Amino acid sequence: MDEHVMRRCIERKRDGGELRAQDWEAIVAGYMDRTVDDAQMAALCMACVLKGMSFNEAFALTHAMVESGVKISFPTADRVVVDKHSSGGVSDIVSLVAVPLAAAAGAHVAKLSGRALGHTGGTIDKLETIPGFNVALSIEQFVAQVERIRCAIAAQTEALVPADKRIYHLRDRTATVPALGLIAASIVSKKIASGAHGFVFDVKTGAASFVSDPQRAHELATWLIEISKRFNRRATAIVSDMNQPLGRNIGTGIEIIEAREFLRGEGDRRARELVVKVASALLTHAGIDDADARVVRALEDGSGYLKMLEMIVAQGGDAAGFEAMHAGEELEIVARKSGYVHAIDVVRLGHAGRRLSAHDPTGGLRVNVRIGDGVEKGQPVLYACGRDRANAADLADAFFIEESTVAPPPLVYEELT
Ligand code: URA
């Protein structure tokens, strides 16, 4: 792409204007052939964060990103393949457990996942802590695995949505994640390329999401569904809370450990409610009746856990190594005063979890209290583990404790189809 044309596109977005579909096509193609460099792309992303994007721009960017790579196609005649995606959360173990549960309950789930972004965790980083687990499946391996065992979770590659892979990494480094259009395009492009026919979007809202205002989350949910529709896909969006971690563990390997315990029946109640909702929406898109009951059965009879083991082995992982994973010694972080937990700085916990697990796969945090809980001074609110755990000692400040009682936030705000 010509440098001056790109500069004019950046200027137009900087000044609050709208780019045409052909501009987005040229920008993405230019970024891929390196005639648009990181500095220009980062400036454009920042302009989108600050000035916003229209729905048509989000759709055009999605389309351009899908076209940057190949698209998987599953035969539609005999079955509907489904996929889910989260807009980014902390202690968000939903994909790790909903995928095997839905597969155990009869759905075919083809999931393309991302890495950590900002303070939020990435399913791919988590899965890579399982000894031997291969996230870099070829398209043939991905399709064959979904056909054979009904589920696979893989990373996007140089073949699948390479534009999102590069822009995603750039947005992570340049604090340019929270633009509705960039998020929608990044998510839907991966879903279209994964070849699935029906999607479930878990749109997070609250202080630790990329879309903190529930009304904006509603708008993102609507965009995700509408963009999917334009690609002839069916979608459901669940707007769920991210004012506190969804599960208990924050990190990479320690979230895998939590997912393992969840599938063995030891899941956190709050996380369980959302997991059942998401997995059941996947089954419904796959045309399977009695979805809720089937998901609960897969959780309770252990077939979801067996499916997780099957998926690990199919992707080259060591099932015994997975079963042996454990968090090391913990550092206790205690409440500085007595009262009720009014808020939790989940962004800070998310960044800390990312740092603690960066050089130690079982490093991270385990949250011991939730919003609304009463605590006594000196009671543990958090545990830190991993070799850098001493760096987490000041995280007691991430818990805002007041004398008055407070109601916990809802888990699910709305569900749209
Ligand atoms: N998840 C994605 O895949 N992309 C985003 O931009 C945010 C969350």
Side-chain angles (χ1 to χ4, degrees):
M1 185 181 195
D2 181 85
E3 191 182 315
H4 303 290
V5 176
M6 181 62 187
R7 186 186 297 122
R8 277 202 297 281
C9 287
I10 299 169
E11 284 167 355
R12 206 168 333 135
K13 285 309 300 168
R14 180 199 63 195
D15 298 338
E18 187 177 12
L19 299 182
R20 301 160 306 170
Q22 58 265 44
D23 297 324
W24 288 105
E25 300 289 339
I27 290 165
V28 170
Y31 194 50
M32 294 313 292
D33 70 19
R34 301 191 189 260
T35 51
V36 169
D37 64 18
D38 279 352
Q40 292 170 309
M41 197 61 173
L44 182 71
C45 289
M46 188 57 88
C48 291
V49 170
L50 299 176
K51 294 295 170 89
M53 290 166 74
S54 68
F55 174 81
N56 284 339
E57 288 185 292
F59 174 71
L61 177 59
T62 311
H63 188 267
M65 297 220 288
V66 170
E67 294 305 316
S68 72
V70 295
K71 284 160 272 179
I72 297 175
S73 99
F74 288 94
T76 43
D78 49 347
R79 76 177 63 99
V80 175
V81 175
V82 291
D83 190 359
K84 66 98 29 195
H85 206 90
S86 155
S87 64
V90 173
S91 189
D92 185 359
I93 56 164
V94 176
S95 293
L96 295 171
V97 289
V99 170
L101 280 174
H108 285 75
V109 194
K111 167 120 185 70
L112 272 197
S113 280
R115 293 193 177 276
L117 194 57
H119 60 282
T120 68
T123 299
I124 291 300
D125 302 313
K126 298 172 198 177
L127 286 169
E128 276 182 341
T129 64
I130 300 173
F133 193 95
N134 177 24
V135 295
L137 298 183
S138 69
I139 292 174
E140 293 71 26
Q141 287 170 323
F142 185 69
V143 171
Q145 187 175 317
V146 173
E147 295 285 320
R148 189 163 53 83
I149 69 163
R150 292 203 297 270
C151 62
I153 306 181
Q156 66 210 118
T157 62
E158 281 312 319
L160 289 167
V161 245
D164 177 61
K165 187 175 166 144
R166 289 191 55 206
I167 298 171
Y168 190 92
H169 183 55
L170 183 75
R171 287 167 61 217
D172 183 39
R173 285 183 298 139
T174 55
T176 52
V177 177
L180 237 56
L182 296 180
I183 297 174
S186 163
I187 293 178
V188 183
S189 62
K190 281 192 283 283
K191 301 302 95 177
I192 300 299
S194 79
H197 314 110
F199 311 138
V200 178
F201 299 115
D202 179 10
V203 178
K204 307 289 189 191
T205 189
S209 70
F210 294 124
V211 191
S212 53
D213 167 26
Q215 194 44 47
R216 295 259 299 156
H218 171 88
E219 199 180 340
L220 175 59
T222 311
W223 282 22
L224 292 169
I225 292 173
E226 287 302 317
I227 296 174
S228 305
K229 250 203 227 162
R230 289 211 193 175
F231 284 95
N232 282 323
R233 304 300 205 280
R234 286 180 294 162
T236 293
I238 297 164
V239 179
S240 70
D241 184 67
M242 196 30 72
N243 284 298
Q244 54 184 334
L246 176 67
R248 294 278 176 180
N249 292 0
I250 306 171
T252 53
I254 63 167
E255 292 195 36
I256 293 288
I257 294 169
E258 181 168 6
R260 181 189 68 201
E261 297 313 306
F262 187 108
L263 288 167
R264 285 173 170 169
E266 300 291 318
D268 178 271
R269 241 186 322 127
R270 194 173 154 86
R272 180 180 157 129
E273 196 183 325
L274 186 60
V275 165
V276 170
K277 236 182 201 321
V278 169
S280 141
L282 285 169
L283 288 196
T284 304
H285 275 297
I288 298 171
D289 294 335
D290 212 9
D292 273 14
R294 280 176 192 262
V295 171
V296 170
R297 207 173 315 129
L299 189 54
E300 290 176 355
D301 68 9
S303 56
Y305 183 62
L306 293 178
K307 188 54 80 178
M308 178 75 173
L309 291 178
E310 199 180 359
M311 182 172 77
I312 288 171
V313 172
Q315 294 191 220
D318 170 6
F322 164 71
E323 294 199 298
M325 283 171 74
H326 67 283
E329 211 179 309
E330 293 180 329
L331 171 76
E332 214 175 78
I333 296 156
V334 300
R336 299 235 163 98
K337 60 180 189 178
S338 300
Y340 294 88
V341 179
H342 272 236
I344 301 175
D345 187 344
V346 188
V347 173
R348 190 164 162 208
L349 297 187
H351 281 300
R354 249 186 110 172
R355 273 196 306 276
L356 288 168
S357 58
H359 308 294
D360 181 348
T362 49
L365 301 168
R366 181 161 62 85
V367 181
N368 199 36
V369 291
R370 294 220 173 268
I371 295 175
D373 285 356
V375 290
E376 294 296 329
K377 182 176 174 182
Q379 178 189 329
V381 286
L382 189 68
Y383 299 92
C385 51
R387 70 172 197 221
D388 301 329
R389 61 188 178 280
N391 298 343
D394 63 354
L395 285 176
D397 297 347
F399 294 80
F400 300 94
I401 298 169
E402 306 288 344
E403 279 177 16
S404 57
T405 57
V406 64
L411 175 65
V412 172
Y413 293 79
E414 60 175 328
E415 192 169 334
L416 294 87
T417 299

